[in-house]
Amino acid sequence: MWNFSKNIAYVVLLVFMIIATVDCSWDPYKVLGLKRGASISEIRRAYKQSAREWHPDKNRNENAESKFVEVNKAYELLSDPVRRKLFDQKGVVDDSLNRNMHNPNNKFGDGASFFSGHGGFRFQFQMSEMTAFHQYRITLRRYENLIFPQSHSQPYLILVYSEWCLMCLHILPVWQRLVEDLNPIGINLATVHFDQEAELANKLGGRRGELPHVVLVMDSRISHYTEDELSNSKVIEFIRSRFSRNLIAFVNDQNINEFIGGWKDNKVRVLLFGKLELVRLRYLTLAFKYRPHTLFGYAQLNLETTRTIVEKFGIPSKLDSLLLFQEDRDRPAARLSMADLPYSTLKDIIETNKYLQLPRLSSQKMLDLLCPPESSNIRRRLCAILVTEDREEDEEAREQLRHFTRQFKFSRDRIVFSYLFREKQTEFLRALLEDEKSPAETTTKVVIVWRQDTQRVSYTWLPQPFISGADNWNSSVDYLHRTLTKMLGSAQPLAHTTLMKDLVDEYAQGILGRITARLVTAAEVLRDHFTRQELLAVGSVVGTVLFIAAVGYVMTYLVRLEEETIRKKNKGLPKTPRPTTTELKLHELRSETYNGMVRLLKPGCRTVVLLLDNESMDVLIPKFHKAVWPYRKNKSLLFGWMNIDRGLPWYSRLLNLALKIVDEDEGADVTLDSNSVKPKNCVGTVISLNGHRRYFCIYHARHPECVSDSGAKRMQNMARRLTVSNRAMNDATGAFMGFDTSLEDSDNSDVERGDPLTSQDKEPLITSGLGLHSQQFSTDLALEGLSNWLDRLFEGTTQRYNINYWPDFGNF
């Protein structure tokens, strides 16, 4: 009875638990901001965005924790096809249908654990769930010292993950399947913990909130997996796309002889046969690993284009096969046929036969592989090198040495046979020669080399050359066999020791090849980081620029062609020299040009104006032109002239403004009467106008600055005190401004000045007034001192007269 009641209680409790798990109001589509029918890629993008937004480590909202759990629950439901289908049909969430609930293989264990710490909220799965990722975890040191250097021969698929990443746990089955599929075929897998190896994760392109992140490290390049869905087939297709297209050549009846007979590039040939049109990934990884020593080809079975090859070598039509060729194109050195060729078996066969019977020392790397350094005299490995030239005449000697290696099975662990081209490895041979012999003397000779370390080498030249031909074959073979047997049977050191020179890489890429490789790499990087639409936009811009450049080049070429045509037509015509003299223009200062020549001048610019009348124009303009000619190239100067009869009111107003400024400084009040300025007295005056700073300088024959004899000192002092008082208006020194001066009483006259001269209103004041004897000047002498004054003007030593503003040009 008790057991029955207990069972009833359990059933009731179970019913209540099932009812509690049913939520009719909660909608996972609304939580992620999606519409019903959204694709799996849209669901993933919405989840990533919502998880970044509501992650408690980034969002300080008090509801962030519950919202983050709700987002994870919505994604868990919508990413499960069975539960999502049930929700779309019934419109309810039934957690009892969760396949992973209380399951030992549950991705989430018993659920996600939430806990608080000093750093805030953290979301973490149980450690047991992450064991599959932890066991492949690498560090930055291991990546830099092992994985990145090995990527030249072996690809590495790396996953960046974190413990708080829900998607990382979701792809755990996919990752385990990739490990099972890719590890056996030569592709290693590794993981990087984002929180513990942040520097390495950032170097691989992992970002918080964008995990998991998958990259392929191959040939020192990092390729990013950009697909929205991480599946086994898509990852394999991604890896396959990173291999070079010409890594494995497609072989048929037409190119079989060219493929097998190309062993002179110092590589063995591996020919694979398969039923599939697509080359298997294991063949690609194998060809990538052994590409320095082997060249791979693939022939598809059951095709008309490969029937001759299959019949010639007896290839089974229902099995995958491998043929490995060295120098003999008719007889493979190794062969294998199986229903499924294992990667390890293929690797063992190629590893055993990865060199030709007689390989050529074409680079320092090849020498290091064939003849590695060995310091011990007992375990030393000898290298017998035949010196030949790159010509058909020496091919017979090389072929006889191959026959020698097949006839006498010397162990490769004790001695290795090889040859080199004398003209391509001259520096290496010169280091092995004694007594300054020429490398040309070593042709068809054999040198025995023992590398004691990376630089020091011990060697012995065999005195008898390896001469080809039927008559010399037996003697050459016997001598070589006796000598090598004696060397291998004893531990005696070789005859000579020297420092070795590195071999020249005969297959090193040139400048054009390196540029092409860089361009291909850049194209792959662009393909990884840009979409097709972005590439089309960039391509259109680049194409437009190139088109414009091409059109410009064509137009330039046409112009040059036309110039050459005109030059040919005018070849017989005499050439007339073109004048190269710079033109100096003199502008007239009048009301139309006043603003441009004075008021609107730029800072640092000045206008030099000559005052003249109609009578003196023909005489003064040539002299003024000659005086200012040296300054014609100065872009800050403007030269002109003004008819005093037209501009006298403006000139009078200008002088009046200057006198007011001076008298304000001296404390006097002077007003200039415009009637006192006579036009004849102004002829020959030159004024320099600085429109921006509002000052001018004056040159005149009577200006004290132009006086050079000893009696001019007092005159210069009076000029600096130009308008100290009203008395200065009647002083003869004001004549330089055009003032009409009158005689003073003898009591007021200066004895040192001499007697003043009388001047009429209509006669110019051209008497010097200096000294005891007066002299009459003509208009021709009015500009004699202009050149010296111009020099002082540009030196800044002339007297400046400041004004408050520039007066209008016209009558007042």
Side-chain angles (χ1 to χ4, degrees):
M1 185 67 179
W2 169 254
N3 291 334
F4 178 76
S5 301
K6 187 177 180 180
N7 292 335
I8 293 297
Y10 280 136
V11 170
V12 173
L13 179 62
L14 181 61
V15 170
F16 278 108
M17 289 179 62
I18 294 176
I19 295 175
T21 59
V22 179
D23 187 357
C24 299
S25 60
W26 185 72
D27 189 353
Y29 288 102
K30 292 182 180 180
V31 173
L32 297 179
L34 297 172
K35 296 180 179 179
R36 292 181 180 268
S39 62
I40 187 64
S41 60
E42 293 175 347
I43 295 174
R44 284 202 177 101
R45 283 196 296 267
Y47 165 70
K48 289 181 178 180
Q49 182 178 357
S50 300
R52 286 195 297 266
E53 179 182 357
W54 293 104
H55 197 285
D57 289 345
K58 299 180 180 180
N59 195 325
R60 298 304 179 184
N61 194 313
E62 58 182 5
N63 298 325
E65 179 179 341
S66 59
K67 186 67 176 179
F68 185 67
V69 174
E70 190 176 7
V71 168
N72 289 326
K73 183 180 178 182
Y75 177 74
E76 178 187 353
L77 187 147
L78 295 180
S79 60
D80 190 332
V82 177
R83 299 178 64 197
R84 181 185 177 187
K85 184 177 181 181
L86 180 63
F87 177 80
D88 291 340
Q89 292 176 353
K90 297 184 178 181
V92 295
V93 180
D94 189 356
D95 287 339
S96 62
L97 294 175
N98 189 349
R99 298 172 301 171
N100 299 316
M101 185 66 67
H102 305 295
N103 190 333
N105 297 323
N106 178 18
K107 295 186 294 182
F108 303 96
D110 292 332
S113 62
F114 298 86
F115 60 91
S116 301
H118 294 290
F121 174 83
R122 180 182 170 93
F123 180 73
Q124 185 177 14
F125 296 103
Q126 293 183 0
M127 294 299 297
S128 59
E129 303 294 338
M130 311 300 291
T131 305
F133 293 137
H134 293 336
Q135 63 182 346
Y136 297 100
R137 192 171 63 189
I138 60 173
T139 61
L140 177 62
R141 183 177 180 180
R142 179 178 176 83
Y143 172 80
E144 293 179 344
N145 297 335
L146 182 64
I147 294 180
F148 196 76
Q150 287 184 355
S151 66
H152 288 280
S153 59
Q154 189 170 14
Y156 278 84
L157 188 69
I158 302 178
L159 170 71
V160 182
Y161 74 100
S162 179
E163 294 176 0
W164 50 261
C165 173
L166 180 63
M167 279 293 297
C168 298
L169 204 60
H170 184 73
I171 66 167
L172 180 59
V174 179
W175 180 257
Q176 292 174 339
R177 178 68 182 277
L178 288 174
V179 172
E180 296 173 358
D181 292 345
L182 298 181
N183 262 338
I185 63 173
I187 299 178
N188 287 348
L189 287 85
T191 60
V192 176
H193 196 292
F194 184 87
D195 296 326
Q196 298 180 9
E197 294 291 337
E199 183 178 355
L200 177 57
N202 292 328
K203 181 178 292 188
L204 297 176
R207 299 292 183 269
R208 186 179 296 275
E210 298 179 3
L211 301 181
H213 184 69
V214 179
V215 298
L216 179 69
V217 181
M218 187 173 69
D219 201 12
S220 299
R221 294 203 304 267
I222 300 175
S223 301
H224 302 271
Y225 181 82
T226 58
E227 295 289 338
D228 294 332
E229 181 182 357
L230 185 68
S231 62
N232 189 279
S233 58
K234 287 185 177 294
V235 172
I236 292 177
E237 186 62 30
F238 163 69
I239 297 174
R240 182 186 295 274
S241 65
R242 299 299 136 180
F243 289 99
S244 176
R245 294 183 178 179
N246 56 358
L247 186 61
I248 296 182
F250 287 92
V251 181
N252 50 39
D253 296 340
Q254 283 71 30
N255 59 2
I256 179 64
N257 293 328
E258 180 183 356
F259 174 77
I260 298 178
W263 55 267
K264 291 186 178 180
D265 60 359
N266 213 26
K267 294 182 180 181
V268 299
R269 263 51 181 174
V270 176
L271 183 57
L272 297 165
F273 294 86
K275 299 181 290 294
L276 301 177
E277 181 181 359
L278 188 66
V279 180
R280 288 191 172 188
L281 185 58
R282 68 185 66 181
Y283 299 160
L284 292 174
T285 57
L286 202 67
F288 180 76
K289 181 178 181 62
Y290 292 101
R291 57 178 175 167
H293 316 292
T294 61
L295 189 65
F296 280 71
Y298 182 79
Q300 185 179 355
L301 297 173
N302 304 323
L303 292 180
E304 290 294 332
T305 55
T306 59
R307 178 178 297 179
T308 303
I309 307 175
V310 172
E311 294 176 354
K312 179 180 180 180
F313 297 104
I315 304 300
S317 59
K318 297 183 179 181
L319 301 177
D320 292 346
S321 303
L322 174 143
L323 299 181
L324 189 145
F325 294 89
Q326 294 177 338
E327 287 90 341
D328 193 351
R329 66 174 64 186
D330 297 324
R331 186 174 56 184
R335 65 183 301 158
L336 178 67
S337 296
M338 296 179 65
D340 186 15
L341 296 175
Y343 176 84
S344 57
T345 305
L346 296 174
K347 179 181 176 181
D348 293 340
I349 294 176
I350 298 175
E351 191 68 32
T352 306
N353 303 276
K354 64 180 179 180
Y355 300 114
L356 298 173
Q357 293 179 359
L358 187 66
R360 185 174 80 255
L361 298 180
S362 57
S363 64
Q364 183 64 31
K365 186 176 181 180
M366 179 65 73
L367 178 64
D368 295 338
L369 293 173
L370 293 176
C371 304
E374 178 56 62
S375 59
S376 175
N377 193 17
I378 300 176
R379 297 191 305 270
R380 66 183 181 182
R381 178 185 291 186
L382 302 180
C383 190
I385 304 174
L386 174 64
V387 181
T388 63
E389 294 184 1
D390 188 9
R391 58 181 182 178
E392 292 295 332
E393 290 81 356
D394 292 347
E395 181 60 32
E396 186 177 357
R398 295 191 287 267
E399 183 59 35
Q400 289 184 357
L401 186 58
R402 293 188 191 98
H403 182 70
F404 176 84
T405 59
R406 292 192 295 267
Q407 182 179 358
F408 301 99
K409 302 292 185 181
F410 288 99
S411 174
R412 274 187 173 268
D413 295 334
R414 298 296 310 278
I415 185 170
V416 175
F417 294 90
S418 61
Y419 73 98
L420 57 78
F421 290 145
R422 176 188 59 81
E423 64 274 15
K424 295 183 179 180
Q425 306 296 342
T426 305
E427 294 297 327
F428 175 78
L429 288 176
R430 187 173 284 113
L432 302 180
L433 294 175
E434 65 276 0
D435 301 330
E436 298 182 355
K437 291 183 179 180
S438 172
E441 302 177 10
T442 62
T443 305
T444 67
K445 284 189 175 182
V446 178
V447 58
I448 309 299
V449 174
W450 167 36
R451 295 184 63 192
Q452 298 176 348
D453 54 35
T454 56
Q455 294 295 330
R456 198 157 53 95
V457 60
S458 182
Y459 65 95
T460 296
W461 286 94
L462 301 186
Q464 182 176 344
F466 195 79
I467 304 175
S468 60
D471 299 334
N472 303 315
W473 167 244
N474 292 330
S475 60
S476 298
V477 169
D478 292 341
Y479 176 76
L480 181 60
H481 182 261
R482 290 196 310 270
T483 304
L484 295 178
T485 303
K486 182 179 178 181
M487 287 184 177
L488 295 176
S490 64
Q492 294 182 356
L494 301 183
H496 307 282
T497 302
T498 186
L499 295 178
M500 182 186 66
K501 299 289 184 180
D502 289 342
L503 289 163
V504 177
D505 190 356
E506 300 177 7
Y507 296 102
Q509 284 186 336
I511 297 178
L512 184 60
R514 290 196 295 270
I515 292 176
T516 304
R518 291 290 181 87
L519 292 177
V520 172
T521 303
E524 293 179 355
V525 171
L526 291 176
R527 184 181 62 182
D528 292 340
H529 292 81
F530 294 94
T531 62
R532 183 177 181 181
Q533 290 76 11
E534 293 173 341
L535 288 177
L536 289 176
V538 174
S540 63
V541 173
V542 174
T544 303
V545 173
L546 293 178
F547 176 76
I548 294 174
V551 171
Y553 175 79
V554 171
M555 294 180 65
T556 305
Y557 174 76
L558 295 176
V559 170
R560 190 186 311 116
L561 189 64
E562 185 178 359
E563 290 178 352
E564 292 178 357
T565 304
I566 296 175
R567 191 180 299 111
K568 290 180 181 180
K569 290 181 180 179
N570 301 334
K571 188 175 182 180
L573 300 178
K575 297 182 179 180
T576 57
R578 297 180 179 179
T580 57
T581 305
T582 304
E583 184 181 2
L584 175 61
K585 293 183 178 181
L586 299 180
H587 306 274
E588 182 182 0
L589 181 62
R590 57 182 187 271
S591 59
E592 293 83 0
T593 61
Y594 176 65
N595 288 335
M597 295 179 67
V598 180
R599 285 181 169 174
L600 301 180
L601 282 180
K602 295 181 180 180
C605 297
R606 286 179 285 187
T607 301
V608 182
V609 180
L610 169 65
L611 306 184
L612 48 75
D613 56 8
N614 294 331
E615 297 176 0
S616 60
M617 182 181 297
D618 296 336
V619 177
L620 294 180
I621 284 184
K623 291 182 176 293
F624 179 71
H625 190 277
K626 181 178 180 181
V628 300
W629 177 260
Y631 308 99
R632 65 190 183 280
K633 294 183 180 180
N634 195 326
K635 302 298 183 182
S636 63
L637 295 178
L638 189 64
F639 301 99
W641 56 274
M642 184 186 75
N643 194 321
I644 194 61
D645 297 332
R646 180 183 301 174
L648 183 59
W650 171 82
Y651 184 53
S652 301
R653 180 62 174 162
L654 179 67
L655 299 180
N656 197 14
L657 292 174
L659 290 174
K660 285 184 177 181
I661 294 298
V662 174
D663 286 332
E664 287 175 2
D665 295 338
E666 297 292 335
D669 187 9
V670 178
T671 301
L672 175 64
D673 187 4
S674 61
N675 295 327
S676 62
V677 180
K678 303 301 180 183
K680 289 296 183 182
N681 291 341
C682 301
V683 174
T685 302
V686 178
I687 54 177
S688 174
L689 307 172
N690 191 317
H692 180 70
R693 300 183 61 182
R694 293 194 296 275
Y695 71 82
F696 64 91
C697 302
I698 298 181
Y699 165 80
H700 193 275
R702 285 197 172 188
H703 197 292
E705 292 179 353
C706 304
V707 179
S708 59
D709 54 87
S710 60
K713 184 176 181 180
R714 190 163 183 268
M715 298 288 291
Q716 293 174 0
N717 293 332
M718 295 177 64
R720 294 188 185 94
R721 300 168 61 248
L722 184 58
T723 55
V724 174
S725 65
N726 293 334
R727 189 173 55 191
M729 296 295 300
N730 298 323
D731 200 314
T733 59
F736 77 92
M737 283 188 170
F739 295 161
D740 187 11
T741 60
S742 58
L743 295 176
E744 295 184 353
D745 297 337
S746 59
D747 296 338
N748 297 329
S749 62
D750 195 337
V751 177
E752 293 181 359
R753 221 177 109 187
D755 298 334
L757 297 177
T758 305
S759 59
Q760 303 297 329
D761 291 347
K762 294 184 180 180
E763 295 178 358
L765 274 172
I766 55 178
T767 57
S768 75
L770 302 174
L772 298 174
H773 302 284
S774 62
Q775 182 180 1
Q776 181 75 20
F777 289 107
S778 64
T779 308
D780 296 337
L781 302 178
L783 300 179
E784 285 297 324
L786 179 60
S787 298
N788 295 332
W789 180 82
L790 289 174
D791 292 339
R792 292 195 298 274
L793 174 67
F794 299 131
E795 292 174 358
T797 59
T798 57
Q799 180 69 36
R800 297 181 179 179
Y801 302 101
N802 296 293
I803 60 175
N804 292 328
Y805 62 92
W806 292 107
D808 294 334
F809 194 92
N811 296 327
F812 296 92

